[in-house]
Amino acid sequence: MKAPDDVAIIGYGVYIPRYRLPSSEVARIWRGTGEGPNTEKSVACIDEDSATMAVESARNAVKMAGVEELGAIFIGTESKPYAVKPTSTIVAQALGQHRLLAADFEFACKAGTEAIQVVM
């Protein structure tokens, strides 16, 4: 696939919940050994979901990119908080962005590449 114009990522954002679940606890519940390189897993707080985490990530991305107006917001998740409301519109509203393309993409491994293909 070749884009007619140059396409670039000028900022990205990350948000990792602060709460941790020890791997030993997961192993205890599932009767596993708990062996492996991971000692803990990040878990969302009771008031966090994929939309709130997307908002925090988007705020970090916009700050890194140094832009004020966005042309599009694409969200990729397997865990949408609402079955019929796009998460991308929640993020757009939280960022104060009102005139842009907003869309949700699904599938764990495909969402990111699909969003980039749409931008191209």
Side-chain angles (χ1 to χ4, degrees):
M1 175 176 226
K2 182 163 174 56
D5 298 312
D6 289 337
V7 176
I9 296 171
I10 60 170
Y12 62 90
V14 175
Y15 174 78
I16 302 172
R18 68 182 190 139
Y19 292 100
R20 300 291 183 267
L21 177 64
S23 298
S24 58
E25 181 64 8
V26 175
R28 184 184 71 78
I29 298 297
W30 288 98
R31 297 186 179 104
T33 63
E35 296 176 7
N38 299 325
T39 58
E40 62 185 16
K41 175 180 176 41
S42 175
V43 293
C45 188
I46 194 168
D47 64 345
E48 293 179 312
D49 58 25
S50 59
T52 60
M53 291 187 271
V55 168
E56 292 303 319
S57 297
R59 286 179 177 155
N60 292 333
V62 168
K63 183 177 179 181
M64 176 188 268
V67 297
E68 292 184 18
E69 187 174 336
L70 303 176
I73 291 179
F74 298 136
I75 302 294
T77 183
E78 289 186 334
S79 305
K80 294 169 56 169
Y82 302 103
V84 296
K85 179 175 178 59
T87 303
S88 56
T89 59
I90 297 169
V91 175
Q93 184 71 33
L95 295 178
Q97 301 290 318
H98 305 289
R99 296 187 182 272
L100 73 164
L101 174 63
D104 289 11
F105 294 92
E106 296 182 3
F107 310 114
C109 298
K110 180 66 175 139
T113 55
E114 189 170 4
I116 290 171
Q117 287 174 329
V118 168
V119 169
M120 291 171 63

